[in-house]
Amino acid sequence: MRDYREIKSRLRGSVTPVITPFKANDDIDFATLSELIEFQLENGTHAISVTGTSGEPSSLTEEERVQVMKTAHKTINGRVPFVPGTGSTNHDETMRLTKKAEEIGADAALVIVPYYNKPNQQALYKHFKTVADSVDIPIIVYNIPGRTAQNLHVDTLAQLSKDCPNIIGVKESNKDFEHVNRVLLKCGRDFLLFSGIELLCYPMLAIGGVGSVSATANVLPGKVAQMHDAWFDGDVATAQKLHYELMELNDVLFKDTNPAPVKAALGMMGKIEPHLRLPMDLPSEELQNEIRETLNKYGINLQYA
């Protein structure tokens, strides 16, 4: 059995969930994906994730998800930890994708609570334990009740962390802050807690969290990384200041379903062709104008104003 202490010590800070760029014909733009990852690393991002919620995984085939993981792993080339999303509403697909992440050389896998089918807690336990037992790669459980319509209970997660040594942490996209506090109480203070709610990235650090997986980091990676750096350096005042500086951008990027506003913003910045696969689409013109105004306030250089 692997010793997971080394990756637990490295996997912290701003983990950017990089979007999947598409061309106008719906093909994945792999060259642009590599450029987006380089943009992240140049701006101090601490780790990279792909094919999570921001990567539109339900709009990708299984093979496309593997291709995105391979491209990301090759581009990162060991410079920071790589944590691809491998979860699905389908158990067998989750197993295959998690094993593929292990084969590719990912540092950990981010496995979401299955969406749409709303399994009960016993079923969730069986699902995650079977996935974890099938691989020798660290697992970060991804709990996002707003997307999955099911909340992974703290007691279920605690039992998983006890029974599966490679379940080393959780990404909590959970607005119930009492729940989040109890995760560390029940799972242990060394359990890796990541925020998936932008406005809770800083508060989760304050209770013992180790970082965040924030879609906003696609647009402004430097400031998101700096907030974490300041916190880890003990500069609480700067971390708090950056938390509030980011709030207006966080708000506008979640006025429509992620990653539509983020892709609109990246298009305005000239980073991508702003395109989503149906049934997703870009935000309304009104919201796009608001996004543009907000980016201008942050001094972000726009190629397409």
Side-chain angles (χ1 to χ4, degrees):
M1 183 182 297
R2 279 177 59 182
D3 184 344
Y4 300 109
R5 286 176 295 183
E6 189 272 338
I7 185 58
K8 287 181 76 171
S9 70
R10 288 194 299 122
L11 190 53
R12 56 194 59 243
S14 176
V15 183
T16 300
V18 178
I19 60 98
T20 303
F22 297 120
K23 300 176 183 177
N25 65 357
D26 272 357
D27 287 349
I28 298 173
D29 190 340
F30 290 102
T32 295
L33 175 62
S34 292
E35 291 171 2
L36 290 173
I37 291 170
E38 291 293 348
F39 171 61
Q40 290 295 320
L41 300 183
E42 289 164 5
N43 282 277
T45 290
H46 304 107
I48 296 289
S49 182
V50 294
T51 61
T53 302
S54 299
E56 297 173 74
S58 59
S59 296
L60 302 174
T61 67
E62 188 173 334
E63 181 54 37
E64 285 176 328
R65 290 182 69 170
V66 172
Q67 291 172 345
V68 169
M69 286 194 287
K70 286 181 176 179
T71 300
H73 182 260
K74 182 178 180 181
T75 304
I76 295 164
N77 194 27
R79 288 176 285 177
V80 297
F82 174 45
V83 190
T86 60
S88 165
T89 192
N90 181 283
H91 176 75
D92 288 343
E93 183 178 323
T94 300
M95 295 271 285
R96 290 192 297 269
L97 286 167
T98 306
K99 288 178 180 178
K100 185 59 69 172
E102 180 179 31
E103 292 171 12
I104 289 169
D107 295 281
L110 182 68
V111 183
I112 194 170
V113 169
Y115 38 92
Y116 180 72
N117 36 22
K118 296 178 67 176
N120 63 32
Q121 296 301 305
Q122 180 182 351
L124 286 173
Y125 174 86
K126 289 181 178 179
H127 170 71
F128 281 108
K129 188 174 190 305
T130 305
V131 173
D133 287 348
S134 72
V135 293
D136 192 15
I137 185 175
I139 301 293
I140 306 292
V141 174
Y142 180 10
N143 189 31
I144 178 168
R147 289 270 193 171
T148 65
Q150 183 63 290
N151 185 37
L152 181 68
H153 294 176
V154 173
D155 287 344
T156 307
L157 181 60
Q159 192 63 49
L160 284 165
S161 69
K162 177 182 177 182
D163 296 344
C164 306
N166 58 332
I167 294 184
I168 63 170
V170 63
K171 174 188 173 183
E172 281 286 357
S173 295
N174 198 321
K175 293 183 178 181
D176 182 351
F177 208 58
E178 289 187 17
H179 169 105
V180 173
N181 277 269
R182 290 192 172 93
V183 166
L184 291 181
L185 178 68
K186 292 290 188 74
C187 297
R189 298 284 295 281
D190 63 339
F191 197 65
L192 302 186
L193 172 64
F194 294 90
S195 174
I197 300 280
E198 274 60 23
L199 263 63
L200 295 183
C201 291
Y202 171 77
M204 281 203 199
L205 292 172
I207 66 167
V210 296
S212 67
V213 187
S214 166
T216 301
N218 279 282
V219 176
L220 205 58
K223 273 198 188 297
V224 178
Q226 288 162 22
M227 184 190 74
H228 292 83
D229 288 336
W231 176 263
F232 294 134
D233 288 343
D235 188 351
V236 175
T238 296
Q240 190 177 82
K241 175 175 173 288
L242 288 165
H243 165 69
Y244 284 104
E245 281 185 15
L246 286 162
M247 196 171 291
E248 186 175 358
L249 181 60
N250 287 331
D251 284 345
V252 78
L253 291 179
F254 283 85
K255 287 192 173 182
D256 195 355
T257 304
N258 180 50
V262 167
K263 281 197 159 183
L266 289 172
M268 295 169 197
M269 295 163 64
K271 297 291 185 186
I272 66 168
E273 191 167 349
H275 184 71
L276 296 90
R277 285 180 175 173
L278 293 172
M280 298 290 287
D281 201 1
L282 289 171
S284 67
E285 284 297 324
E286 181 182 5
L287 180 52
Q288 289 193 51
N289 289 334
E290 188 176 349
I291 292 168
R292 188 175 294 108
E293 292 169 5
T294 304
L295 296 179
N296 279 321
K297 287 182 185 178
Y298 279 81
I300 296 173
N301 183 39
L302 302 185
Q303 300 296 315
Y304 300 100

